[in-house]
Amino acid sequence: ADVTIDDQTIRGVGLRFKGNGSFLAGHYAGKYSYKIDFNEYRDGASLRGLRKLNLNNEVTDPSMLREALSYEMFRAAGIVCSRVNWARVYLTVGADRDRKASGLYTIVEQVDKRFLKDRFGDAAGLLLKPSTFGVFRYLGEDWSKYEVAYVPKTKPTETQKQRVIAFAKLLHQGDDGEFEARVEEYLDVDQFLRFLAINVLLSNLDSFLGGAQNYYVYLDTGSNRLQFIPWDMDVSFGAFDMEGTPASRRNLSIDRP
């Protein structure tokens, strides 16, 4: 595709649909979410330093504010996360669709190597986007199983692979005493508790709290510990109707599961 943003045109970029639940909802609403990859076909291509952008349709959010406010709350708690803005989107496809208005979208910054360099100082650590439907499941000692479930977004070293496997094993096979003694070797516990608390405050259940998905984890080279990064919050503020009831989502507790 060719993409024009603020009168600047980048030609020959990668463009695809994105999302899971938002994709299905967008299909019925006729408004899809998109991922723009400036670098897909031309190495080094970018727009103002960004190699990817996400255009979220927000068809599940009539306010168009949930993601922006949610990320702002995470930032206020000291959690590194994406920047958000808005865009009016127009689409041209061949001769039959000429600059047709697609509506208002949120622009969400991609979590990638550029993001890591900006927030952590380097991108040499391991970035994962787990989708295991369980918290850091232990899948044995074969890394290939983790490739599928943990979805690495950067190329892991052998040491990083073993670090992730060892943490998963500690979580699921270590006894209480071993866990208490060693968890802080692997996990930035203070950062994780702040990440957890904001998810609870937002009643953000399509996340780590629900199906243990829609988040990134970064094994930081500086500390050699894991940090959690939020993602995909269009049904925060108690709007995820696949979990609980409106009353239980409004009164979500940090103390009672």
Side-chain angles (χ1 to χ4, degrees):
D2 297 338
V3 174
T4 300
I5 299 175
D6 285 346
D7 297 325
Q8 182 178 350
T9 299
I10 311 292
R11 301 194 182 280
V13 308
L15 178 69
R16 67 169 175 84
F17 297 128
K18 69 177 287 291
N20 185 9
S22 61
F23 174 83
L24 293 173
H27 176 72
Y28 293 111
K31 183 185 179 186
Y32 292 98
S33 294
Y34 300 100
K35 186 179 289 287
I36 301 169
D37 188 341
F38 302 106
N39 197 52
E40 177 73 13
Y41 301 110
R42 293 188 296 140
D43 288 344
S46 64
L47 177 73
R48 300 175 194 172
L50 300 173
R51 294 194 173 185
K52 292 182 181 179
L53 280 177
N54 299 282
L55 294 173
N56 290 352
N57 58 14
E58 304 299 354
V59 295
T60 59
D61 178 13
S63 74
M64 300 287 292
L65 287 170
R66 288 183 196 141
E67 292 211 281
L69 291 173
S70 296
Y71 281 116
E72 190 63 29
M73 284 183 68
F74 277 104
R75 258 190 298 279
I79 305 295
V80 300
C81 58
S82 299
R83 294 173 292 173
V84 180
N85 211 319
W86 288 266
R88 294 196 179 278
V89 176
Y90 301 86
L91 197 63
T92 296
V93 184
D96 13 286
R97 184 178 298 194
D98 183 20
R99 206 171 185 272
K100 183 178 179 181
S102 297
L104 188 67
Y105 282 69
T106 53
I107 314 171
V108 180
E109 181 182 16
Q110 181 68 30
V111 178
D112 55 13
K113 283 188 173 183
R114 182 213 50 81
F115 175 96
L116 298 174
K117 286 178 184 176
D118 183 70
R119 304 314 199 276
F120 294 94
D122 71 57
L126 175 58
L127 181 66
L128 304 167
K129 192 170 186 287
S131 187
T132 61
F133 295 98
V135 179
F136 257 76
R137 289 170 57 203
Y138 177 60
L139 305 172
E141 299 299 313
D142 181 359
W143 177 255
S144 65
K145 295 179 180 177
Y146 294 82
E147 290 272 358
V148 176
Y150 283 66
V151 196
K153 297 297 182 179
T154 56
K155 187 174 181 180
T157 65
E158 289 302 318
T159 302
Q160 289 167 344
K161 292 176 186 177
Q162 292 307 312
R163 187 80 172 160
V164 170
I165 291 171
F167 180 54
K169 189 172 185 178
L170 173 68
L171 281 183
H172 293 280
Q173 295 192 355
D175 61 31
D176 288 351
E178 184 184 11
F179 174 81
E180 185 176 352
R182 301 189 59 204
V183 62
E184 291 192 72
E185 293 176 26
Y186 296 93
L187 178 67
D188 185 332
V189 172
D190 179 70
Q191 192 270 351
F192 171 71
L193 291 175
R194 283 182 280 123
F195 169 83
L196 196 65
I198 298 300
N199 273 303
V200 172
L201 283 170
L202 290 168
S203 193
N204 183 34
L205 292 174
D206 189 20
S207 69
F208 181 85
L209 296 178
Q213 60 176 353
N214 287 331
Y215 64 94
Y216 288 88
V217 183
Y218 185 53
L219 181 57
D220 179 24
T221 53
S223 65
N224 204 24
R225 296 190 297 175
L226 295 158
Q227 292 204 31
F228 283 68
I229 301 170
W231 187 249
D232 193 7
M233 291 180 286
D234 60 315
V235 287
S236 58
F237 289 91
F240 188 53
D241 59 11
M242 293 176 70
E243 295 274 356
T245 64
S248 71
R249 293 194 296 271
R250 277 195 301 272
N251 297 306
L252 199 63
S253 169
I254 195 72
D255 299 315
R256 292 179 293 105

